[in-house]
Amino acid sequence: MRGSWRSKLTSSLFVLPYFVCFALFLLYPLASGIVLSFQDYDMLGSREFIGLENYKNIFTPGTLIHDLFVRGLSGTFKFVIYSVPFLVIVGLALALLVNALSTRVQGFYRTIFFMPYAISATVMATIWMRVFDTDTGFLNILLDKMGKTGPHIGWLNDTPWVWIALVFCTIWWTVGFNMIIFINGLNEVPEELYEAARLDGANAWHRLIHITLPSIRSISTVVLIMTIIASFNVFAQPFLMTRGGPGYETTVLLMNIFAVAYGQHQGGAASAMAIVLGLIMMVVSTVIYRLLSGRRG
């Protein structure tokens, strides 16, 4: 009994640092945000409990909070729809490509493809603003050199080019993370399955469809859900590169939450908007998980 008690205490002490950080940086902010969402908090010090008024304003057409929420959510959904398929498919394609290389060079290419993920959002935005600038950007200059005539493409000023630019720079910046997870999943597929398939005459495409993809289904589900959550939380790319333009085309919900909190000093309303966004992400993630895992009910 004494040995069992000491073993449990030792295990608890190992978990304690993580639990403290989890409580300080996740549980406490989450609880504070929920409490704040039921208050009229102007970020300058005054607080007043108003119950569900902030949530009511979000779902009441004609209110400023409703308009900002719907407009931002529309931009966020567009980004999720445009970016998630490419982030998952390109990540898987890079993983298959790297995994097919010899073991001597795999580490090099993993580092090369993952390296952009390690740079800051500001650096990423600066790089791609230089590339996509309408007048002096590298891409338009390159198109001029290739003989393109007519006005320059407004990559960051016109639709649909602005979405192409944002999705492209997001793929460059973050796809390395998905690639690493997919590589780990591919390494767990038994080589004997591929050998048996080759003996049966299966080509590379058949091996991919009937062996690789079913074997990494659980990993693919995790990658998809993580990518959806990350895309719902998009902020840096449109905020730094387009400022939500042209018009409100690329204004995402986190930008409007930021504007409500720090521009209008309505901390309670901003917290309510963030809580609703979190609930939407939970619902979407749960639906995707149940669909891909084959669960019902």
Side-chain angles (χ1 to χ4, degrees), residues 206-239:
H206 291 153
R207 294 196 298 271
L208 173 65
I209 297 299
H210 298 290
I211 298 177
T212 303
L213 294 184
S215 299
I216 63 171
R217 181 177 179 178
S218 59
I219 293 293
S220 301
T221 302
V222 171
V223 171
L224 178 59
I225 292 176
M226 291 175 60
T227 304
I228 290 173
I229 293 174
S231 295
F232 265 107
N233 284 291
V234 62
F235 176 79
Q237 301 93 303
F239 181 76

Side-chain angles (χ1 to χ4, degrees), residues 246-266:
Y248 298 107
E249 178 66 24
T250 59
T251 300
V252 295
L253 187 51
L254 285 186
M255 291 175 63
N256 283 345
I257 292 175
F258 182 85
V260 171
Y262 297 101
Q264 303 178 17
H265 307 292
Q266 298 184 40

Side-chain angles (χ1 to χ4, degrees), residues 100-121:
L101 300 174
S102 65
T103 55
R104 292 180 300 175
V105 298
Q106 281 185 10
F108 172 77
Y109 283 103
R110 276 188 224 154
T111 303
I112 292 297
F113 289 129
F114 185 77
M115 193 178 298
Y117 187 77
I119 68 175
S120 68

Side-chain angles (χ1 to χ4, degrees), residues 109-231:
Y109 283 103
R110 276 188 224 154
T111 303
I112 292 297
F113 289 129
F114 185 77
M115 193 178 298
Y117 187 77
I119 68 175
S120 68
T122 304
V123 174
M124 176 277 301
T126 302
I127 292 172
W128 288 105
M129 287 174 69
R130 294 284 186 180
V131 173
F132 289 119
D133 185 83
T134 302
D135 299 317
T136 61
F138 170 79
L139 188 53
N140 276 335
I141 292 176
L142 179 63
L143 291 175
D144 287 342
K145 296 290 186 181
M146 295 173 62
K148 176 185 175 299
T149 59
H152 284 170
I153 296 174
W155 295 103
L156 301 178
N157 305 313
D158 300 318
T159 52
W161 309 112
V162 65
W163 286 115
I164 295 174
L166 289 179
V167 170
F168 187 88
C169 74
T170 301
I171 293 172
W172 178 86
W173 186 29
T174 63
V175 76
F177 182 80
N178 288 352
M179 178 200 70
I180 294 296
I181 298 179
F182 275 125
I183 288 176
N184 292 333
L186 292 173
N187 290 336
E188 298 298 321
V189 181
E191 185 63 29
E192 293 79 6
L193 296 178
Y194 294 114
E195 293 295 337
R198 291 189 187 96
L199 292 176
D200 289 338
N203 57 31
W205 176 253
H206 291 153
R207 294 196 298 271
L208 173 65
I209 297 299
H210 298 290
I211 298 177
T212 303
L213 294 184
S215 299
I216 63 171
R217 181 177 179 178
S218 59
I219 293 293
S220 301
T221 302
V222 171
V223 171
L224 178 59
I225 292 176
M226 291 175 60
T227 304
I228 290 173
I229 293 174
S231 295

Side-chain angles (χ1 to χ4, degrees), residues 16-36:
L16 184 61
Y18 170 79
F19 178 77
V20 171
C21 293
F22 179 77
L24 286 177
F25 298 108
L26 183 63
L27 292 182
Y28 176 73
L30 178 60
S32 299
I34 293 174
V35 172
L36 194 61

